[in-house]
Every structure is written in structure tokens, then in C-alpha cells.
Amino acid sequence: MHTVTVIGASLAGLYAARALRAEGYAGRLVLVGEERHRPYDRPPLSKAFLTGAADADALALADDEETAGLALDLRTGARAVRLDPRARSVTLASGEEIRTDGVVLATGAAPRTLPGPVPGKVHTLRTLDDARALRAALTAGPVRVVVIGGGFLGAETASSCAALGHDVTVVEAAPLPLVPQLGEAMAGICAALHADHGVRLLTGTGVAGLRADGAADAVTAVALADGRLLPAEVVVVAIGVRPRTGWLAGSGLPLDDGVCCDAGGVTPLPQVVAAGDVARTAGARSEHWTAATEQAAVCARNLLAGRTEAVHRSLPYFWSEQYGVRLQFAGRRSPGDVPRVVEGSPDDRTFLAVYERDGRPTAALALNRPRPFARLRREWGRAADPVG
């Protein structure tokens, strides 16, 4: 291969570039990113960056020395609009056409938004620019904040807003947030963190619309589906994401909630692989930091091999930080798995729980128990018969 083009200059894209060089690829390596920023870490956006504890420099995933060492042809502020596998080319919004022998798709995902017009002071939180805009809206003094969506991003954002002294309400359409990930019992414990810190959690109702001051073009309230009206000066929409695959229409790639590929990130098109939030590997899509880095390494190896030599089999893992609590989860929990607290106490918001099925462990959840959780995760990683 003379040229490999990585589309997406965030976590998965940068890690794919690193992996390609580590595997011995010495040709031209183009890294295309739609944002004007160099690759940066997204998880701190809802936490340390939003509260002002970290600045943009602290988010950088690679410094100038490493970027130079990778010999990247880095294109920031460049958006890919077409992939033509037959011509082996990627077309950018500027009209430039990049001829390439291999392609890594790492375009990530975009936040879902509410239907209808969006007034001012309504935010999503996915990019550095999003976080800067939200942080600016929170620095003029105490405001009423409504966070729509009680998942991990919504909870982290609510936690940061509360830490800044704002009046915060979280609206969740489901009867309880995080049930699909944690199960009802453990999700209830995590949901209680909101009340512990003076944040109101409203569940079992959706959002009917937003109210705004037309003259100021700014949100004034959130109308709920049950008829209630929540006054708000700032609204954060955290209702999930959708993989960024629109530009791949007509490419011949199978698209179904992501780019469909095998467990090694290899697509049906020769010399095209995918990693990160945009990749639907072996029928599943992961939106977590660790999966993105591991998938990037695997798909880079397979791209250079021209076939699937390696697959991503690591135990699923994710973490979140809310209200001073570090939440960690690993494994493959299924409905019906029973959580058992093996250390600590849920009442103290510090414990380690193991999910079990027919007497066998399937997953683990820890709140503020990083060392025993890490030990258990290592043990499971070494096991010949993985959990789940």
C-alpha cells in the first residue's frame, strides 16, 4: 500500500494511525478530521472541561512531537463526502479527491436532537466546540438547567452543572435510567446519586417541545409529554447518538446502525475497515473509549494483511464519573442476571457487585472501588473461559 486514509481524527482514528505505524506501515498516511481541532479526548468534556478544572490543552491525545513522528498528512476542518471504492478515492467537501489504497472508517457518531426548531441556549455535548458553548452559558451566574436524557452523558453533565451551583433537573423517558446497561436494581442505586446531590430526576415522561422567548431567541422552558412545564434558561439534550454514515450512501458498504463489518473490523469491500462508534462489528456497536482503541488496533492489522487475521474479543468495559463517584462496569450482562454485592455497601455508594447467571459470573459493577474492580477485571481477562 502506498496510501492509507483514515477518515475521522478522533480517538479511533488516531489510534488506528498509531497502530498502522506500529505494524510497520511506512507509506503515506492521511488523517482527515471534520473538526478544526487536532485529535482530543472526549470523555472530559462533560466533566473536568465543563467545570473548568481542565483546559483544551489537557484534552490533546497527541502532542506535536508524536504527530510529527507518525508522519501524518493531517487534514483538520476537512469533511469527507464520498467514498468510491472502485476508483479507490475519498472526496472531501472542498472538492479534493484523495487517491488511496486503503481506508479506515472512524467517523464516530453525532448527537441525536429533538424534532422542531432549536432556540438559543439549547445544547448538545459531543465536540469541544459544543463544550465551550455550554461552558460559556453556565458562567454568567446560577441558572435553571434541564438535562434531557438520564444516560451516562446526561448524568455526567447534570453532575457538572450541579457542581457549578446551578439548579438542575434531569428528564428521562424510561421508568429508570441505565436499566439496559445495569439492570433495575443497580440502575436504581446509580439513579439515587442525583437526589444525593440535590438534582431532581423526572422519569417516565418524554419531552413534548421547547418554549422560547421569540424576541431573545432563547429557551424559557421544557414542555413535558405529561403536561408539566419546566422553566429553564439552559437545556442540554443527551438522548443518544447516531453513527455518522450518511456520507457513505452509494459506496456499496452495508449500513445498519453503523458500518457493518466482521469481528476484525473488516467490511465486505476490499481494503476498507472500520473502528469506533461508527463500526457495527459482528452485529453489535460499542460507544465506549476502550472499545474504540482496541478495535482500531485490530482493524489496522487486518487492513495491512488484506484479510481478517485478528478479531476484537476483549471483555466490554466502560466507566463514568458522576457526583464524585467513579462507576466502572465490565462484562456481558443479560436480562435475568442477578447482581450480588461482594464488597462494600450500596448505602455508602461504594461497593463492588458481581452479576451471576446459573452460579457463573457474567459482569461486574463498581462504585468507588477501583482497585478490587481492576483486580477482578484482570482475573477475568486471563481466564481461558471468559465471563458472559
Side-chain angles (χ1 to χ4, degrees):
M1 288 188 185
H2 298 290
T3 300
V4 172
T5 303
V6 180
I7 310 297
S10 191
L11 184 69
L14 177 64
Y15 271 70
R18 287 173 173 169
L20 286 164
R21 292 303 191 206
E23 291 284 341
Y25 174 69
R28 182 188 180 205
L29 183 53
V30 185
L31 181 59
V32 177
E34 184 171 346
E35 294 184 60
R36 57 187 177 87
H37 311 289
R38 287 171 172 260
Y40 62 87
D41 208 15
R42 296 188 192 278
L45 294 179
S46 59
K47 299 180 279 289
F49 183 83
L50 192 57
T51 61
D55 60 16
D57 290 341
L59 306 181
L61 286 170
D63 57 22
D64 291 340
E65 183 179 356
E66 182 186 5
T67 302
L70 291 172
L72 295 177
D73 181 354
L74 179 59
R75 312 288 188 88
T76 58
R79 180 168 57 90
V81 296
R82 185 168 181 261
L83 171 66
D84 187 340
R86 291 183 179 178
R88 293 194 172 188
S89 69
V90 173
T91 303
L92 305 183
S94 64
E96 179 185 0
E97 189 175 279
I98 301 173
R99 297 284 180 173
T100 187
D101 303 300
V103 174
V104 179
L105 300 174
T107 46
R112 296 186 182 277
T113 56
L114 296 173
V118 179
K121 299 297 181 72
V122 176
H123 301 263
T124 55
L125 185 52
R126 178 72 182 182
T127 69
L128 178 55
D129 290 340
D130 290 340
R132 281 176 167 158
L134 178 56
R135 190 162 78 169
L138 298 171
T139 57
V143 293
R144 290 170 294 187
V145 180
V146 174
V147 179
I148 303 172
F152 291 115
L153 178 61
E156 291 168 0
T157 304
S159 169
S160 295
C161 291
L164 292 170
H166 300 292
D167 179 279
V168 185
T169 300
V170 177
V171 178
E172 168 60 45
L176 191 66
L178 301 177
V179 169
Q181 295 87 352
L182 307 179
E184 188 171 345
M186 293 293 108
I189 295 169
C190 293
L193 293 172
H194 295 294
D196 290 348
H197 295 82
V199 172
R200 183 166 51 154
L201 173 63
L202 302 180
T203 61
T205 183
V207 172
L210 303 173
R211 301 288 185 267
D213 181 337
D217 187 30
V219 69
T220 58
V222 176
L224 301 183
D226 62 12
R228 284 178 288 180
L229 198 65
L230 304 177
E233 285 84 40
V234 173
V235 172
V236 182
V237 180
I239 54 176
V241 298
R242 51 177 177 77
R244 299 175 67 101
T245 58
W247 71 284
L248 293 169
S251 66
L253 282 169
L255 306 174
D256 179 14
D257 186 37
V259 176
C260 299
C261 45
D262 66 15
V266 177
T267 76
L269 294 184
Q271 308 306 321
V272 178
V273 297
D277 292 1
V278 77
R280 186 172 181 83
T281 59
R285 195 169 62 81
S286 175
E287 298 173 3
H288 301 296
W289 197 97
T290 304
T293 61
E294 293 172 346
Q295 289 174 0
V298 169
C299 79
R301 176 179 172 183
N302 291 332
L303 176 64
L304 296 179
R307 60 185 181 277
T308 303
E309 286 192 343
V311 297
H312 178 235
R313 285 180 176 157
S314 296
L315 201 64
Y317 167 69
F318 60 81
W319 78 94
S320 177
E321 292 176 359
Q322 308 165 19
Y323 304 107
V325 173
R326 183 170 180 82
L327 183 156
Q328 295 169 283
F329 182 94
R332 299 180 178 89
R333 188 198 73 85
S334 296
D337 293 357
V338 179
R340 179 172 59 90
V341 176
V342 297
E343 182 177 311
S345 168
D347 292 338
D348 298 330
R349 309 298 191 246
T350 171
F351 66 90
L352 173 66
V354 174
Y355 294 82
E356 296 176 337
R357 183 191 317 142
D358 299 327
R360 295 186 64 246
T362 59
L365 170 69
L367 267 64
N368 277 348
R369 292 277 169 155
R371 289 185 179 179
F373 177 87
R375 183 172 61 249
L376 184 63
R377 188 178 169 216
R378 285 195 301 269
E379 291 174 1
W380 286 354
R382 291 193 296 264
D385 182 17
V387 301

